[in-house]
Amino acid sequence: MIVVSGGTGFIGSHTTVELMEAGYEVLVIDDLSNSRIEVLDGIAKITGRKPVFEQFDLCDKGRVMDCFKKYPGIEAIIHFAARKAVPESVDKPLMYYENNLLSLINLLGSMNAHGVKYFVFSSSCTVYGQPDTLPVTESSPIKKATSPYGNTKQIAEEIIQDVVSAGDPIEAILLRYFNPIGAHPTAHIGELPLGIPLNLVPFLTQTAIGIREELKVFGDDYNTPDGSAIRDYINVVDLSRAHVVAINRLLEGKNNSALETFNLGTGRGLSVLEIINTFKKATGVKVNYRVVSRREGDIEQVFADTTLANNELGWKAVIPLEETLRSAWKWEQNIRQQS
Ligand code: UD1
């Protein structure tokens, strides 16, 4: 049995589907603080069954311990559950440190107590800040975090490193995501931002469907070919498949060391304006947009060197961008029909 914490969230739900389709039994743990219970129905529509589900807050140490006791068959954990809104983390740093770090500490402690060995952690390219050279490799320097959210990812990585170095029988893989976008091709699951979306693609699809008046492009005066900022946008299904590979690798003992780190991106940097134009090409829908000033805290550009993940994991992002944007659009249309 594989635990997916945050399994009703965006990346967690897609990873649950991929794990179930690969034959794994999945236990989703989620407190539903930023997701909906109906996501389990979406998963069941795709896979034919629901994962096992436990609803509680991972900051509650007693509940975490009880859960490990209840399911003695747990072999590995993929830990997604975390808060991830950068501005909110600036306003409420303690909430971020408490939620993102206590949950991690409780999971690692319970693993030790119950002899669970394998751990996959949901990290972010945010740990690199604005890299000095591009594309960014796993050995690029870690830059000082620009937000409490980013800091929780850096500290979490350090906690896992320390636990592994201490000789605890834990083996871990840190996965540093670039910008996950899109939705499952069936449109049964996807991204469900509560309130006004902060990320580019959900804002874009909400503008396309008419919920938002216009998409604001944050800056066209960056030192990039068209002046807008560049990111490495990766399809969430491609990203989820990398988690299945990571789990197989740990369970089969194919990891090279007790702690490995991989970048998960496409290796291709795309600007905000390129995303808007490709969306139009892929869906036929023209999105109303306006260039405004840069967003505070944004970096100019980042994209991944994926050589290590390609060679070591034997994994590669393969879904074309147009298909990814079409999936995000299909999902947006689907949820609006439901609501
Ligand atoms: C952000 C976080 C990152 C985090 C990720 C989680 C920052 C600096 N980074 O990534 O640490 O892991 O979210 O989801 O906040 N954009 C617009 N208009 C919009 C929204 C976005 O132009 O309405 C632009 C942004 O300026 C950026 C790009 O689109 O250049 C992507 O933005 P976004 O989707 O928010 O992701 P990041 O900022 O890269």
Side-chain angles (χ1 to χ4, degrees):
M1 175 180 260
I2 312 294
V3 168
V4 178
S5 80
T8 51
F10 175 41
I11 312 172
S13 58
H14 289 81
T15 298
T16 297
V17 164
E18 295 304 315
L19 286 166
M20 290 172 74
E21 288 190 332
Y24 285 107
E25 193 187 354
V26 176
L27 163 59
V28 167
I29 304 176
D30 206 304
D31 65 358
L32 301 177
S33 60
N34 197 27
S35 60
R36 289 165 48 184
I37 189 79
E38 290 79 10
V39 172
L40 297 175
D41 301 327
I43 293 171
K45 277 190 196 150
I46 301 168
T47 64
R49 62 193 200 283
K50 275 191 190 179
V52 183
F53 177 63
E54 291 285 344
Q55 182 182 350
F56 66 89
D57 181 354
L58 290 161
C59 293
D60 183 338
K61 192 174 176 178
R63 293 293 302 270
V64 181
M65 283 286 186
D66 288 347
C67 185
F68 276 71
K69 241 180 263 159
K70 184 170 169 190
Y71 299 97
I74 296 173
E75 291 170 283
I77 296 171
I78 308 181
H79 181 41
F80 292 104
R83 298 199 160 266
K84 61 150 207 173
V86 174
E88 186 186 45
S89 80
V90 174
D91 288 343
K92 298 174 185 164
L94 287 180
M95 183 175 105
Y96 270 68
Y97 288 116
E98 183 176 341
N99 184 75
N100 291 6
L101 298 179
L102 212 50
S103 55
L104 171 74
I105 292 166
N106 288 342
L107 278 174
L108 291 171
S110 295
M111 286 174 70
N112 269 338
H114 292 87
V116 178
K117 207 170 157 190
Y118 304 116
F119 193 73
V120 174
F121 180 64
S122 168
S123 190
S124 164
C125 70
T126 190
V127 301
Y128 300 118
Q130 175 60 68
D132 300 325
T133 49
L134 288 167
V136 64
T137 70
E138 289 79 356
S139 46
S140 298
I142 302 296
K143 294 277 181 69
K144 186 174 161 36
T146 53
S147 71
Y149 156 75
N151 209 18
T152 65
K153 290 294 176 196
Q154 292 190 2
I155 297 170
E157 287 200 0
E158 287 173 2
I159 291 173
I160 298 164
Q161 270 162 23
D162 288 345
V163 167
V164 170
S165 307
D168 290 0
I170 288 180
E171 298 187 10
I173 294 182
L174 311 178
L175 298 177
R176 292 179 179 155
Y177 313 149
F178 283 67
N179 286 58
I181 60 166
H184 196 270
T186 60
H188 291 315
I189 53 171
E191 195 167 3
L192 260 184
L194 303 178
I196 301 172
L198 296 171
N199 296 113
L200 176 62
V201 170
F203 206 105
L204 188 150
T205 54
Q206 287 197 6
T207 310
I209 211 154
I211 298 175
R212 312 278 158 213
E213 216 166 284
E214 61 176 13
L215 170 69
K216 293 185 181 65
V217 173
F218 297 134
D220 67 351
D221 55 352
Y222 285 108
N223 186 21
T224 60
D226 66 21
S228 63
I230 287 177
R231 298 287 184 274
D232 184 337
Y233 296 91
I234 175 170
N235 185 296
V236 66
V237 175
D238 271 335
L239 184 74
S240 297
R241 288 181 181 146
H243 294 73
V244 179
V245 175
I247 286 291
N248 290 342
R249 183 177 177 88
L250 288 170
L251 293 180
E252 291 165 12
K254 290 192 177 144
N255 45 329
N256 294 328
S257 59
L259 183 69
E260 294 183 311
T261 305
F262 296 102
N263 283 343
L264 297 183
T266 64
R268 186 172 167 219
L270 290 166
S271 73
V272 176
L273 293 173
E274 282 175 305
I275 292 288
I276 296 172
N277 290 333
T278 311
F279 183 81
K280 180 168 173 252
K281 219 162 87 192
T283 63
V285 183
K286 192 172 177 294
V287 172
N288 209 11
Y289 73 86
R290 182 165 60 98
V291 176
V292 299
S293 52
R294 295 179 181 192
R295 181 170 70 177
E296 207 187 324
D298 268 354
I299 57 163
E300 181 171 282
Q301 47 182 321
V302 64
F303 49 96
D305 184 323
T306 60
T307 312
L308 193 68
N310 298 159
N311 294 348
E312 273 300 321
L313 297 179
W315 165 91
K316 204 172 173 3
V318 292
I319 304 170
L321 179 68
E322 290 196 13
E323 196 176 319
T324 301
L325 292 174
R326 263 196 301 272
S327 71
W329 180 227
K330 188 174 166 189
W331 165 246
E332 183 71 58
Q333 291 171 299
N334 196 19
I335 43 177
R336 296 312 145 192
Q337 266 166 16
Q338 281 169 18
S339 57

